[in-house]
Each structure stands twice: as C-alpha cells, then as structure tokens.
Amino acid sequence: MFAHSFGYWLQQLLNALTIASFYVPLTVAYALVQGITNKIFLSFGDFTMYAAFAALYAGLAGLLAGQDAAMTLAGALMLAMLCAAALGRVAATHVFAPLIRGSAQAFMIGSIGVSIALQEVMRIQSGSRDLWLPPVLEGSAVRIFDGPFPVQIGLVSVVAIATSIATIAIVLAVMKHSAIGRVWSACSQSERLARLSGIDTMAVLRWTCVGSAALASISGWIIAMSYGGVNFSMGLMLGFKAMFASVIGGYGTLRGAILGATVLAFAETLWTAIFPGGYRDVAVFGLITLILMLKPEGLLDAADRRES
C-alpha cells in the first residue's frame, strides 16, 4: 500500500512540474511587462497560442521531412519564438506604446482588442478546429520508480522542464546582473524618473514586449510538443491564469511570478489527483480568490515586492 501511494504521489509531483514548466515562463513574461507598465495586459495568452500553432506547424513539417526528434524540437522552438516576438514587436509599436501614458482602462481595452483580433484571425485560419501533432518522441519515457504504481515521465516533458528551468535562470541572471536588468528596474520603480534620467522608456517598453513575447512562446512550444493539441481559444484562459498567478505571487515581481505559477500548477495537479477534473478551474480560481482575500499584497512579503 505504501509503495502504491508513494508511486502515485510521485507521479503527481512530476505532472505538476510539467504543468509548471509552461506556466512559469508565461507568468514571468506577464510580470516583465506589467512591472514597467503597472497596467493589466491580457494579450500574452494569445501570443502563446500563436507560438503553439507555429510550433505545431514546424513540428509537422519536421516529421514529414524525416528530421530527427532533436531537430524537430529545436526548429519548432525557433519558429515559435520568432512568431511571438514579431507579434510582440507589432503590438508594442502600434498599440501599447501609444497607450502607455493614457489611462489604465485604455491600455487594458487595447490589449483585449489585440487578443480578440488574434483569436479571430486564428479561428478563421484553423477553421475553428483543434489541431493535433503526433508524438515527436513516441514511446520514449524515463522510468523513475518501479513497483505496484510505476512512475515515469515522457522524454518530451523532461526536455520541456529542463528548457523552462534554463530559460528562467537566464532571465533572472540577465535581470540581476546586466545593464538591461538595471534599466528595466529603473523603469519599474518610476517611469517618469527614468525618463528624466535620460532612459528611452519607449524603447524599454518595446524590447520588453518583444522579449516577453519570446519568453511566453516557450509556454506555447511546451504545450504543442508535450500535449500535442492546440486551438484558437486556448489563449484566453492562459492569459487569465498568467495574470492571476502573477498577482497572487507578488504584484509586478519576477520572484512572485515564479511562485504564483508554481502554486497554480501544484493546485491544479492536486485537485485533479483527488477530485473530478471537470471542476478543476472552478476550484483553482476559487483558491486564487481566497488567497487574495486573505493576503491582497500577494504571497511574497512586502520587502520582496517592488516599491511602486
């Protein structure tokens, strides 16, 4: 009985890590833009959705061309990042930069408009159908534990988790030790003072949107490669979850985004492991609401949150 229980919960832990691997990059991407705008930004879910479609198409092309798994995964990741980064550049230049000094409502409505436009384009392009990718590493799995409840994890999931961890480590290192990180921190603390100090805050906004969109594309790539299914409406829920995860972790901080996304992933997995999966999102958003009621400032202490 103990071995069965241990194996079951170890498998759930691996499942939670897989889910966290695509929630964390998306939530950190949201926090990067939210940190310098201090406004609600709801387009990242759809950037992720486009990246997932790009990764799926690249994966199909690679499989049809007879490429090996490593080349297929790398090609899909590259196309996903280029697609999302291009969308981030266009949105930042033509929508968000003109609205950044306006009201928070105008900025939020602009981001919703971008999301609706992207969803409708993809709905028409995909014919409102779910698209599926055959397994890139079919039958490949890593056995973790043998026993009454054997535990294993797919090799694609291992690659996804490793890619997510490496990417977040690079982002944190860049933000902490580079001039780019210092400029971003200055803008996040006070956009007006940063502008008076000679920083081109519009340029910071543009490259933050581009870099964040590319970061969010990793989530789309993981979804396409690990789960194989994408659809035009998936971006809406992903965007909301990224926003809520960022808020519950600690408003506008990268550490808070990582914490919030991890909590979200483990909450979803725990609910699915114990209760019917159909009520998962109801329970998760109920938990988020409870956390915000008990601790409106987020899970991080006040000293860990940005001053603004």
Side-chain angles (χ1 to χ4, degrees), residues 49 64 106 119 123 140 177 197:
M49 178 263 291
L64 292 175
Q119 286 182 30
R123 180 185 66 81
S140 299
H177 299 292
S197 300

Side-chain angles (χ1 to χ4, degrees), residues 46-111:
D46 294 290
F47 293 166
T48 301
M49 178 263 291
Y50 267 68
F53 271 90
L56 183 139
Y57 290 140
L60 285 174
L63 292 175
L64 292 175
Q67 294 179 348
D68 60 28
M71 287 294 295
T72 300
L73 290 171
L77 178 58
M78 183 176 298
L79 184 61
M81 294 183 72
L82 289 174
C83 175
L87 287 174
R89 172 70 179 184
V90 172
T93 302
H94 299 290
V95 180
F96 303 128
L99 294 174
I100 187 61
R101 296 195 177 110
S103 67
Q105 290 87 348
F107 191 88
M108 181 182 67
I109 292 171
S111 71

Side-chain angles (χ1 to χ4, degrees), residues 1 6 19 21-22 33 41 47 56 91 98 115 124-125 129-130 139 165 168 236 252-253 269 276-277 279 301:
M1 178 63 71
F6 173 78
I19 296 174
S21 70
F22 68 81
V33 172
F41 184 86
F47 293 166
L56 183 139
S115 294
I124 296 170
Q125 190 277 328
R129 294 172 295 145
D130 291 357
I165 292 174
I168 296 303
L236 178 64
T253 67
T269 304
Y279 291 93
D301 292 333

Side-chain angles (χ1 to χ4, degrees), residues 51-61 76 131-133 220 224-225 228-230:
F53 271 90
L56 183 139
Y57 290 140
L60 285 174
L131 300 183
W132 296 90
L133 176 70
M225 296 297 107
V230 299

